Amino acid sequence: MSESPKKKPYFKALLLGALSAASYALLFTHVNQVMEYFVKGGWYAALPILTALYFSFVHGSFASTLLSIAGLQAAKGSGH
Amino acid sequence: MKKWLVILLAALFILTVFAPAALAESAPPDNFKIGSFTQVNAPSHTATFVPSDTGVATEVTLDESLKPEDIKLDDKVMVSFSNNNGTEVVSEITAMFLGLTRDKLIALLVVGLVGGLLSGFIGSGGAFVLTPAMMSLGAPGAVAVASNMCHKFPKAMVGAYKRFRYGQVDIKLGLVIAGSSIVGVQVGFQIQKWILDTWGSAGSDLYVSFVFVIILVVVGGIVFKDAMGSKDAAEAKTPKLALRLQKIKLPPMIHFKKADVVISAWVTLPVGFATGLLAATIAVGGFVGVPGMVYVVGATAMVASATELLVAFVMGMWGSAQWALAGLVDIRLVLIILAASLFGVQLGALGTTYVKDHTIKLVMGTVMLIVAVSRGVKVPVYMDHLGIISIDKSLAGVLDTISFWALIAALLVAGGIITAAMIKGIVRARVDEREVTAAGNA
């Protein structure tokens, strides 16, 4: 694995965590407008898809970083 | 035993092709609209409805069974229309998006986490817990399926990436299955839409539950039996059916390197089609996809479950686009579940690196059978809603409770087996590492 167990990516986790939390906060504070446009169908269908993708990148990287800080790594010998 | 899987797949094709044509005769063509009511006129039993797509207010007549005082103004609703003696009337009104309370939020997060863990581990699994969970929290069947699918594809993408890095994904197999499954998704989507138009939410719920139960019992039974039989096997054995199918040299033959299989496209494509069909209608394509890749194609459960994540991503994205076009995705539910499931899926993925093939099959079979109970007991309730049978209210309540606890049991058992297997594997790996270090120092 590329992650070294000695150097834990605290700064990266903090940055991604903040970005993820801010994105969630932004969306849920404007939930009424969001729900109005996201269910219109047609070209508006791109909105929920792109939003889900965006959150999976930001929040997914945050989750990954947090798991490696917690010491949860794949078994050695697996992968490349 | 595995021939049952082939029979099941064949039966599904026939159902898919002929069911809509056969059923179309029994009910008039209906439709549904999403929008909100702005005004209700109780004496004349009419209301002003504003559809979300056009925004043009229209006067609609309410069916006699609907009480005008129950209609909440300005709330987003899904309205089913039916033809009553030549006039189009509103026959059913379902709240489009459930109100989110703290308890529901916690429930979604917990289910998302364990569902993600399952997906990462067995390739699918979030869906069969999440769709019923959203439905039992009050989301209409179609919104639950749509939101689940929209949450599934980004989660699967993250899971597939992780397992690709562990060297478990057969990209070619994934793309072939995904390609053929897109055709299945299209067909499945038409069926689901048609059922919703014809029978409204209750019909859609009944259909989802019915297909759920049949698939879960048959395929889950096969997987569970196999897991029990291969308990002590160190290496995964290629199932007899797959070996026989691999001997059919009908071109085009495809070589799947990671799965280490050479097999005819005529065997692989139907597996993909059935996966897509189920994914679009009940959002659990993996239940045919993974066993199909194991018992029909001949991949190991490890490669099949990892490859399924790639399949789920490709066709989930395609399917989500369809559901989003119909305006059925509740993005709040999607994002709340993702908040937890993105942790779960990565944890499940790394968990597979510590276990053998047998554990993956054991988890898959067990969960499918328990969830079958959960959905099975709800079938009479939906049949009651549709007026096919009549059951007591108290009995319906008991069935609801059994359904709920079976779901919780499935979650706990699956989470328990995965966590225990992971901890055991991690501890063993650490002991081995220490021994190697000690031997190196000596």
Side-chain angles (χ1 to χ4, degrees):
Chain A
M1 301 294 294
S2 55
E3 294 97 328
S4 156
K6 281 170 195 162
K7 262 191 181 176
K8 293 198 167 177
Y10 290 111
F11 181 70
K12 193 179 164 195
L14 202 70
L15 204 72
L16 286 166
L19 185 61
S20 172
S23 306
Y24 269 100
L26 187 72
L27 192 131
F28 277 91
T29 47
H30 297 78
V31 78
N32 287 338
Q33 288 108 298
V34 166
M35 292 306 275
E36 184 62 38
Y37 288 103
F38 278 43
V39 297
K40 273 189 183 229
W43 283 105
Y44 291 96
L47 292 172
I49 307 273
L50 293 175
T51 308
L53 270 177
Y54 166 78
F55 274 86
S56 74
F57 276 113
V58 175
H59 192 66
S61 316
F62 169 61
S64 173
T65 317
L66 216 57
L67 287 178
S68 67
I69 285 180
L72 290 162
Q73 305 273 13
K76 288 211 172 83
S78 68
H80 306 286
Chain B
M1 187 63 200
K2 312 299 176 290
K3 72 179 174 214
W4 288 107
L5 198 71
V6 178
I7 295 172
L8 179 77
L9 293 181
L12 274 169
F13 295 153
I14 296 166
L15 257 177
T16 315
V17 177
F18 296 112
L23 293 169
E25 292 172 2
S26 63
D30 293 349
N31 55 12
F32 80 94
K33 278 203 175 90
I34 297 168
S36 51
F37 287 98
T38 51
Q39 209 180 340
V40 178
N41 190 344
S44 65
H45 226 68
T46 56
T48 310
F49 180 70
V50 184
S52 295
D53 50 355
T54 59
V56 180
T58 33
E59 187 89 354
V60 291
T61 311
L62 304 172
D63 190 73
E64 284 160 18
S65 61
L66 295 172
K67 290 181 187 145
E69 59 270 23
D70 287 348
I71 295 175
K72 283 187 190 145
L73 296 182
D74 300 324
D75 273 8
K76 192 135 299 213
V77 287
M78 211 157 97
V79 175
S80 297
F81 291 93
S82 70
N83 203 317
N84 190 358
N85 293 330
T87 31
E88 200 168 62
V89 296
V90 173
S91 58
E92 193 178 6
I93 302 169
T94 323
M96 182 76 184
F97 303 117
L98 53 106
L100 282 171
T101 58
R102 196 193 58 184
D103 290 353
K104 284 183 184 175
L105 199 73
I106 293 170
L108 285 171
L109 287 173
V110 172
V111 175
L113 182 69
V114 187
L117 189 68
L118 268 175
S119 296
F121 201 78
I122 63 175
S124 72
F128 66 82
V129 184
L130 282 166
T131 308
M134 281 188 265
M135 277 159 78
S136 63
L137 290 179
V143 172
V145 173
S147 307
N148 176 62
M149 191 173 261
C150 190
H151 134 267
K152 187 178 77 166
F153 84 85
K155 176 191 70 181
M157 179 185 73
V158 172
Y161 171 68
K162 283 276 156 173
R163 292 191 65 170
F164 173 73
R165 285 186 54 185
Y166 305 151
Q168 302 168 342
V169 179
D170 191 314
I171 294 182
K172 197 162 153 194
L173 178 62
L175 292 180
V176 169
I177 297 276
S180 47
S181 74
I182 282 177
V183 182
V185 166
Q186 277 305 66
V187 175
F189 180 63
Q190 293 305 326
I191 298 177
Q192 176 76 13
K193 219 170 147 188
W194 179 85
I195 284 170
L196 191 67
D197 289 350
T198 311
W199 286 314
S201 269
S204 168
D205 288 347
L206 177 66
Y207 172 70
V208 168
S209 302
F210 186 71
V211 182
F212 240 98
V213 172
I214 293 182
I215 301 292
L216 262 56
V217 169
V218 178
V219 184
I222 292 171
V223 177
F224 187 77
K225 202 169 164 247
D226 181 31
M228 282 321 207
S230 63
K231 215 173 179 177
D232 304 317
E235 290 276 317
K237 265 204 295 187
T238 309
K240 277 183 197 151
L241 175 71
L243 284 176
R244 227 174 290 157
L245 290 169
Q246 284 169 17
K247 282 185 192 144
I248 304 172
K249 306 287 181 202
L250 193 64
M253 298 294 289
I254 313 176
H255 181 202
F256 299 114
K257 277 188 196 136
K258 187 57 81 180
D260 199 17
V261 167
V262 180
I263 197 160
S264 168
W266 296 100
V267 176
T268 325
L269 297 180
V271 175
F273 181 80
T275 306
L277 184 66
L278 289 174
T281 49
I282 54 174
V284 287
F287 277 160
V288 164
V290 179
M293 279 187 264
V294 174
Y295 299 113
V296 181
V297 177
T300 58
M302 189 72 80
V303 169
S305 57
T307 304
E308 175 59 31
L309 283 165
L310 174 66
V311 177
F313 164 60
V314 175
M315 59 189 238
M317 188 141 162
W318 177 266
S320 294
Q322 309 286 320
W323 287 97
L325 281 172
L328 290 166
V329 176
D330 186 340
I331 196 74
R332 302 169 311 159
L333 298 181
V334 172
L335 295 181
I336 290 167
I337 299 165
L338 271 179
S341 76
L342 288 176
F343 277 94
V345 74
Q346 299 187 65
L347 204 55
L350 74 89
T352 60
T353 62
Y354 291 99
V355 300
K356 288 198 193 102
D357 235 44
H358 151 78
T359 317
I360 296 176
K361 286 179 185 164
L362 180 72
V363 172
M364 190 161 196
T366 309
V367 173
M368 283 171 82
L369 291 177
I370 306 176
V371 177
V373 175
S374 161
R375 298 308 293 164
V377 296
K378 286 286 277 259
V379 169
V381 179
Y382 295 133
M383 284 169 83
D384 179 58
H385 287 177
L386 283 173
I388 299 169
I389 56 164
S390 166
I391 57 167
D392 207 69
K393 269 225 167 108
S394 60
L395 178 64
V398 172
L399 292 177
D400 267 348
T401 315
I402 295 173
S403 170
F404 176 76
W405 285 107
L407 207 62
I408 300 293
L411 282 178
L412 290 178
V413 171
I417 300 175
I418 296 174
T419 313
M422 245 167 85
I423 292 174
K424 218 169 117 188
I426 291 174
V427 169
R428 202 190 313 121
R430 293 214 171 138
V431 170
D432 286 353
E433 205 175 315
R434 227 170 283 150
E435 278 170 7
V436 170
T437 321
N441 290 341

